[in-house]
Amino acid sequence: MVKKILAGCLALLLISVVAVLLRTLTLSPEPAAVVEAFDVRVHQDQVIGRLSQAIQFKTVSQVLPAKDGNPPRTLVDAEVFSSFHGFLEQSFPAVHERLERIVLNEFSLLYRWQGSEPQKPPILLTAHQDVVPYSLPDLEAWEHPPFSGALEDGFVWGRGTLDDKSSMIAILEAVEGLLEQGWQPSRTVYLAFGHDEEVGGTGAAAIADYLHENSIRPELVLDEGGFVMRSMIPGVSQPVGLIGIAEKGYLSVELQTEGKVGHSSMPPPQTAASIISAAVVNLERHPPAKRLDGATLRLFETVSPHMSFGKRAVFANLWLFEPLVLSILESKESTNATIRSTQAVTMLNSGHKDNVLPATATAVVNYRLLPDDSVDDILEHIRNTINDERVAITVYPYHSEASQVSDTENALYQAMVGAGLGVFREQDMIMAPYLTIGATDARHYQEVTKNQYRFLPIPLDREDLSRIHGPNERIAVEDYLRMIRFYVTFLKSSDAVNSP
Ligand SMILES: [Zn+2]
């Protein structure tokens, strides 16, 4: 009997090993057609000069906190935005002569480039005009001042070179160049440049509303989001162009309780402060569940064929190794954020004197939601986990559901992948879908398109990520020129795609 069981176990093990090996060996990269990179004739010094000038406009957007009973409001400098628009008109004369320009929410811009075949669905390229301010303590760390647009060491320096005025100006360069060449798209192309993405994106929301009201339904929206990351994904040596096919939702909740007031010499078993502490500890012990699905699963499906044998074996056999993969991804903050709705306790408040029982206690917890975890799901999780009627749970006014997950099978997506591979041909790049952790303007376009993608064709190393919203934001001249080439190539390759 024992012998039979042993033999059975051995056979099972052997079958598993064979299955693992077979799946690993037959795992091959998804086919992707490289698109030959197109170029427009550009005068390099002039192109770089225009980017440098654009960076020098302090198109900062900020939120002013609530004051005197007034809610928080966003603030931009009207004069700066007006003169920036004047600069655009001067710098891109063909765009402003041939495209229709619609101004929405005072400073957001929507351009319409009429296609020769109006029955074809349009596409929309978007970027934002605004940038975040620099922080004063960081100012010393900047090698070149944040709004200098300095051209030094082969880089253009300043706010917006990565996030993402560079993209806006590169799109305009691409269109200007194509117009000068006499090229006209068959499908209508929209260019959308919101003015307050960094503070919520009322501009992009207004543009999306305009499209909705006019029954304009782009077949694709391309926004910022992923970069071309070098040495970012474990086991993959090639650069990976990350295309965000979904983005996380946003929710903050306040937990609040009231306690018995009085002197602390005869305390009740729990004070308001300890009730809230217990609630917070409970939440941290039971974070929202982790899972490997959606955009994150698509990322690993795409990059795993390029991994070393051992790692490939693991990702090719998630039926066996999924728990292992999840625990590895969970162990790092950056990857943990891609497999679960995260929670962070960001504010705690209670008490004012060492020997007085606190009357109230509050905690604020910020959540970033995975697609398919709705705000209601998370609220239910919070209520069940805290399971204490003394704790009131209030939702902060600004919250948003995670985006839908855009599909990666359509021809326009393939045209975008092909354009990326074409312009990065010499670098043996992989293009892969992924989940964008931060918020972008793309989410506002969900009501008018089912295909929103988030990709900036700029190569970055892990260390470069701190330049975004941090000191020493910069872009290499050759990377900027390649970005223009990407938009030219994509405009042409997407135009050649026949829509369903
Ligand atoms: Zn941005």
Side-chain angles (χ1 to χ4, degrees):
M1 184 66 183
V2 174
K3 249 189 188 170
K4 265 192 184 161
I5 292 175
L6 266 179
C9 287
L10 208 66
L12 212 63
L13 187 70
L14 209 68
I15 292 170
S16 303
V17 170
V18 170
V20 166
L21 280 177
L22 262 180
R23 290 186 68 100
T24 309
L25 291 170
T26 52
L27 188 69
S28 55
E30 292 171 18
V34 181
V35 173
E36 201 57 49
F38 293 101
D39 225 333
V40 285
R41 270 189 309 279
V42 290
H43 189 293
Q44 185 173 324
D45 292 349
Q46 289 174 5
V47 165
I48 298 301
R50 279 192 287 269
L51 175 64
S52 163
Q53 266 184 290
I55 298 302
Q56 292 169 47
F57 288 90
K58 295 184 178 137
T59 53
V60 171
S61 61
Q62 304 185 71
V63 178
L64 290 188
K67 208 179 160 192
D68 306 329
N70 295 315
R73 62 191 182 92
T74 60
L75 179 73
V76 295
D77 186 329
E79 226 165 272
V80 171
F81 275 85
S82 299
S83 50
F84 182 53
H85 292 178
F87 158 78
L88 296 176
E89 281 172 48
Q90 240 175 29
S91 303
F92 303 104
V95 167
H96 287 84
E97 197 193 304
R98 302 277 303 283
L99 275 59
E100 181 190 353
R101 194 189 77 162
I102 301 144
V103 181
L104 292 157
N105 257 23
E106 278 187 279
F107 304 113
S108 283
L109 303 174
L110 176 65
Y111 292 87
R112 182 169 176 277
W113 190 5
Q114 175 67 49
S116 58
E117 295 172 34
Q119 72 283 6
K120 272 192 168 183
I123 62 167
L124 182 142
L125 305 184
T126 180
H128 55 90
Q129 305 171 51
D130 60 317
V131 295
V132 293
Y134 58 86
S135 78
L136 263 183
D138 277 352
L139 190 53
E140 294 246 306
W142 283 81
E143 286 175 46
H144 305 282
F147 291 98
S148 63
L151 173 62
E152 295 280 350
D153 315 318
F155 292 91
V156 178
W157 298 73
R159 271 281 175 266
T161 48
L162 294 175
D163 180 15
D164 77 337
K165 208 187 260 174
S166 55
S167 165
M168 170 186 179
I169 305 298
I171 290 169
L172 288 168
E173 292 285 358
V175 173
E176 183 81 9
L178 285 167
L179 285 168
E180 279 171 9
Q181 282 185 355
W183 187 78
Q184 198 207 344
S186 64
R187 63 169 86 232
T188 298
V189 175
Y190 287 92
L191 314 177
F193 305 125
H195 72 281
D196 59 355
E197 187 273 348
E198 298 290 359
V199 291
T202 65
I207 294 171
D209 285 347
Y210 173 89
L211 297 175
H212 189 66
E213 281 157 20
N214 291 280
S215 306
I216 299 161
R217 301 192 60 84
E219 199 179 343
L220 163 144
V221 168
L222 175 58
D223 194 5
E224 64 175 338
F227 290 88
V228 176
M229 294 306 305
R230 293 184 287 227
S231 59
M232 182 74 166
I233 297 169
V236 182
S237 54
Q238 294 110 303
V240 183
L242 293 168
I243 304 170
I245 57 169
E247 68 184 60
K248 292 184 97 174
Y250 188 101
L251 166 71
S252 288
V253 293
E254 185 182 74
L255 315 178
Q256 199 254 340
T257 193
E258 270 151 38
K260 191 180 160 198
V261 288
H263 200 270
S264 62
S265 57
M266 283 193 299
Q270 273 192 300
T271 68
S274 69
I275 291 170
I276 284 298
S277 305
V280 162
V281 168
N282 249 336
L283 287 176
E284 292 210 329
R285 283 204 183 128
H286 302 96
K290 60 189 177 218
R291 60 173 189 264
L292 191 54
D293 67 359
T296 303
L297 179 61
R298 287 289 297 121
L299 168 66
F300 287 110
E301 283 172 349
T302 311
V303 299
S304 57
H306 303 270
M307 290 176 171
S308 59
F309 186 84
K311 290 203 171 77
R312 206 161 75 222
V314 168
F315 281 100
N317 292 281
L318 289 174
W319 61 277
L320 184 60
F321 296 122
E322 187 172 332
L324 174 74
V325 169
L326 279 172
S327 69
I328 293 171
L329 295 176
E330 188 179 28
S331 67
K332 251 195 190 164
E333 286 146 25
S334 59
T335 43
N336 182 47
T338 67
I339 54 162
R340 62 154 44 97
S341 297
T342 55
Q343 59 183 6
V345 180
T346 50
M347 290 152 84
L348 273 176
N349 224 316
S350 186
H352 59 94
K353 198 164 184 302
D354 72 314
N355 61 358
V356 175
L357 298 172
T360 63
T362 59
V364 176
V365 192
N366 179 245
Y367 288 83
R368 304 301 176 103
L369 282 54
L370 276 190
D372 294 335
D373 280 359
S374 68
V375 167
D376 283 344
D377 293 338
I378 294 296
L379 287 174
E380 198 184 322
H381 169 82
I382 297 168
R383 272 192 294 269
N384 291 342
T385 308
I386 294 176
N387 192 22
D388 186 339
E389 279 171 6
R390 294 169 298 176
V391 177
I393 300 164
T394 324
V395 176
Y396 258 44
Y398 172 73
H399 57 269
S400 65
E401 300 284 356
S403 75
Q404 65 204 21
V405 182
S406 298
D407 102 277
T408 53
E409 305 302 324
N410 62 79
L412 280 180
Y413 179 84
Q414 297 303 334
M416 181 172 54
V417 167
L421 295 176
V423 298
F424 282 90
R425 190 190 277 275
E426 78 286 4
Q427 302 192 24
D428 192 22
M429 184 183 66
I430 308 163
M431 293 280 279
Y434 89 119
L435 172 67
T436 303
I437 304 301
T440 71
D441 268 346
R443 70 184 186 287
H444 296 296
Y445 294 99
Q446 285 192 113
E447 58 173 328
V448 292
T449 182
K450 63 183 177 50
N451 297 321
Q452 314 124 53
Y453 302 108
R454 302 158 185 85
F455 174 59
L456 279 186
I458 304 173
L460 292 184
D461 292 313
R462 190 187 285 270
E463 311 83 80
D464 291 326
L465 289 174
S466 62
R467 300 178 191 277
I468 300 165
H469 291 203
N472 292 320
E473 190 175 344
R474 65 177 193 187
I475 187 167
V477 166
E478 62 171 310
D479 292 342
Y480 179 63
L481 296 174
R482 193 195 297 103
M483 179 146 64
I484 298 170
R485 207 175 307 135
F486 170 81
Y487 289 119
V488 171
T489 306
F490 179 61
L491 281 166
K492 285 197 150 187
S493 66
S494 62
D495 203 59
V497 163
N498 279 321
S499 294

